[in-house]
Amino acid sequence: MGIPCDDFVVVRQPETSGEPTVITVNCPDKTGLGCDLCRIILSFGLNIVRGDVSTDGKWCFILFWVVGRDSGAQPRWGLLKKRLLGACPAASRASGLYNSFYRLQELLLLEQQPQVFLIKFCCYDRLGLLHDVTQVLCELELIIRRVKVSTTPEGRVMDLFFITDTRELLHTKKRQEETMDALRAVLGDSMTSCEIELASEDIAACLQASSCLPLAIIEEMSSFELPQEPPGGYRPLSHNLSVTMDNSLSPVHSLIQIVCPDHKGLLYDIMRTLKDYNIQISYGRFYSSLNGLCELDLFVMHTDGKKIIDPNKQKALCERLRLEIFHPLRVTVVSRGPDTELLVANPVEVSGKGRPLVFYDITLALKLLRTRIFLVRPALIPW
C-alpha cells in the first residue's frame, strides 16, 4: 500500500533540552532533492549539525539533526514539515503511476512564474529599521526579490520591496491586511503610509535588470579563484579546507571527502553545487564537530549512473566545491567619497533560486554593528 504522503516527513523533538531536533525524510528520490530540503531548512533559520542520506535511485532515506538560532525563538515546526513535504516528489512517481500526464503538469507548474507584488511604505528612519522590516516579511513567508531604499536628509525613508508570496495569497484582502498590520506593529507611529499592489509586467521584468556596477568590481566578485596565502604566520581559512575525490573504494561510485570549517548553510552550499553539476548522491554522511570542523563523505555518480572518471571533470568539481565552501557569498567594501558601500553577491542556483535569508543576515549584522543603511540598490552580477 506504500507510505502515506504525510509520513514522508517526520519531525521528532528532542527528549532533552539543548539536543538537536531530528528530521526524517523518507520519500521518492530525485536529483537535487537534498539541495531543496537543505534550502528549506536554512530558510527557517535552522542549522544542520549532522546528516545521513541513502538512496537506491528511486527511494531515499534522509536524516537531519538541526538546531535553532541562538535567540531561542522556536521555529514553526508544522509549517516546516509542510514545506518539506512540498519538496518531496509525489508518491505516485515511485509506485509507477507517474505517467506522462503528471509529468506534463509538473513541467507546466515549473514554467509558471509567481506573481510579483510591490510593498511601498514611508516612515521615519531609525537604527535597525530595515532589518526589523525584513524580519517581519520573512516571518510572513514573503520572499524578497528586490529592494530599493532611499533616505532624505530630513530622515524620511521610502522603502520599495518587490516580493513574492510563498503561500500565494497576497492578492487577497485578508493577506494584505495581515502584512500591513505586521508592518505597523514593528514601525509604530513612524509609518506614514503603506501600500501593496501587484507589480506591473514592466516592473516585474526590471527584476532582471543588468548590473550598474563597475566592471572591475564585477570581475572581482565573480572570480573563481581562492585567495593566495598571505605573508607571516597567519593560517588562512582555506588551509583548513580539503576536498578530495577517490574512485578506488567503490565499483560504481566516486567518493567525495570534505573537511572544512563550519558555517551557516554549509550543507546547502555543497548540495547546491552538486545539483548544479547534475551529480546524484547515493550515500552521504555529514558531521559537525565541537571544534568547528565539518566532515563529509559523499558517494556520488552522474545522473546516468556512471562514476566521475574524467580528470578534468573531477578537478572542476573539486575546485568549485572549494570555492563555494570558502566563499558562499562574495563580499567587498567600496569607498565612494564620504560614503561606504557594502557589496554582497548571492549565488543563484541553476533553477533561479538564491541563497535564503541573505538580506536578513546582512541587515542583522549591520544592526548589531550599529551601522545605519540609507540607500539600497540591487544589481545583477553575471556569475
Side-chain angles (χ1 to χ4, degrees):
M1 295 180 62
I3 300 176
C5 289
D6 192 56
D7 292 336
F8 281 180
V9 177
V10 176
V11 179
R12 188 171 72 250
Q13 298 296 334
E15 298 179 357
T16 306
S17 178
E19 292 293 317
T21 297
V22 181
I23 300 174
T24 304
V25 181
N26 188 12
C27 71
D29 194 16
K30 68 174 183 178
T31 301
L33 176 62
C35 171
D36 298 340
L37 298 175
C38 288
R39 188 181 191 281
I40 293 171
I41 292 172
L42 179 59
S43 69
F44 276 75
L46 297 168
N47 295 324
I48 302 172
V49 296
R50 182 181 168 192
D52 283 289
V53 56
S54 61
T55 178
D56 60 1
K58 297 181 179 179
W59 200 275
C60 68
F61 182 77
I62 305 174
L63 286 170
F64 294 111
W65 285 260
V66 302
V67 295
R69 296 194 185 105
D70 295 335
S71 62
Q74 283 295 316
R76 292 169 290 178
W77 297 109
L79 185 59
L80 171 61
K81 178 178 178 177
K82 181 179 179 181
R83 295 292 175 249
L84 292 173
L85 282 170
C88 296
S92 58
R93 183 172 186 173
S95 62
L97 300 178
Y98 190 73
N99 56 30
S100 58
F101 172 77
Y102 294 108
R103 191 174 295 113
L104 177 61
Q105 291 293 103
E106 190 173 79
L107 291 174
L108 290 174
L109 287 174
L110 289 174
E111 291 177 357
Q112 293 178 358
Q113 295 297 323
Q115 287 184 310
V116 178
F117 288 83
L118 170 62
I119 298 181
K120 177 173 61 176
F121 64 88
C122 298
C123 63
Y124 291 98
D125 193 20
R126 61 173 170 79
L127 181 66
L129 169 68
L130 194 54
H131 173 70
D132 295 342
V133 172
T134 301
Q135 183 173 2
V136 167
L137 297 180
C138 290
E139 290 174 350
L140 290 170
E141 289 195 289
L142 298 174
I143 300 174
I144 301 173
R145 299 286 301 275
R146 189 169 183 172
V147 181
K148 186 173 182 180
V149 175
S150 57
T151 307
T152 68
E154 296 80 24
R156 290 178 59 85
V157 177
M158 173 177 283
D159 287 0
L160 303 177
F161 282 83
F162 296 88
I163 61 173
T164 55
D165 187 5
T166 302
R167 305 177 193 175
E168 299 183 348
L169 294 173
L170 200 55
H171 62 281
T172 65
K173 182 179 179 181
K174 181 180 179 180
R175 179 67 162 157
Q176 292 185 9
E177 289 178 347
E178 177 191 18
T179 302
M180 288 191 285
D181 288 344
L183 290 172
R184 289 191 190 97
V186 72
L187 296 175
D189 295 336
S190 69
M191 188 173 74
T192 57
S193 67
C194 182
E195 300 175 10
I196 300 177
E197 61 184 33
L198 181 65
S200 66
E201 294 184 3
D202 292 340
I203 294 178
C206 289
L207 292 177
Q208 302 298 327
S210 61
S211 171
C212 57
L213 297 177
L215 180 60
I217 294 178
I218 295 177
E219 292 177 348
E220 177 184 351
M221 298 189 74
S222 59
S223 171
F224 289 103
E225 296 181 0
L226 289 172
Q228 298 296 320
E229 181 177 358
Y234 171 71
R235 181 179 176 84
L237 186 65
S238 58
H239 280 212
N240 293 323
L241 171 58
S242 171
V243 180
T244 59
M245 189 177 299
D246 191 339
N247 278 316
S248 64
L249 297 179
S250 171
V252 293
H253 298 98
S254 298
L255 171 61
I256 299 177
Q257 293 182 299
I258 302 174
V259 179
C260 63
D262 194 10
H263 67 247
K264 180 179 180 180
L266 170 63
L267 194 55
Y268 166 74
D269 294 326
I270 294 171
M271 295 295 181
R272 170 177 56 81
T273 304
L274 295 177
K275 180 181 179 181
D276 288 348
Y277 273 75
N278 287 319
I279 300 298
Q280 183 172 340
I281 300 174
S282 298
Y283 172 78
R285 180 187 64 86
F286 167 79
Y287 177 74
S288 177
S289 61
L290 295 177
N291 63 2
L293 286 179
C294 293
E295 298 180 5
L296 293 94
D297 294 320
L298 304 173
F299 288 86
V300 303
M301 62 174 67
H302 289 295
T303 51
D304 60 4
K306 296 180 181 179
K307 299 168 69 171
I308 307 174
I309 301 296
D310 189 331
N312 292 327
K313 292 182 178 179
Q314 291 182 14
K315 181 180 178 181
L317 178 58
C318 289
E319 288 183 350
R320 185 58 181 263
L321 283 168
R322 291 189 192 98
L323 178 71
E324 297 300 337
I325 293 171
F326 187 80
H327 276 312
L329 299 173
R330 315 298 197 265
V331 182
T332 188
V333 177
V334 179
S335 178
R336 296 188 182 277
D339 304 324
T340 299
E341 187 168 9
L342 174 67
L343 303 174
V344 182
N346 176 21
V348 176
E349 299 173 27
V350 171
S351 63
K353 297 179 180 179
R355 183 186 179 90
L357 297 180
V358 171
F359 196 67
Y360 174 94
D361 293 333
I362 295 170
T363 55
L364 175 59
L366 294 175
K367 179 179 179 179
L368 295 175
L369 292 171
R370 302 191 64 80
T371 301
R372 290 181 178 272
I373 304 171
F374 70 91
L375 181 65
V376 175
R377 58 176 181 174
L380 180 66
I381 297 179
W383 211 247

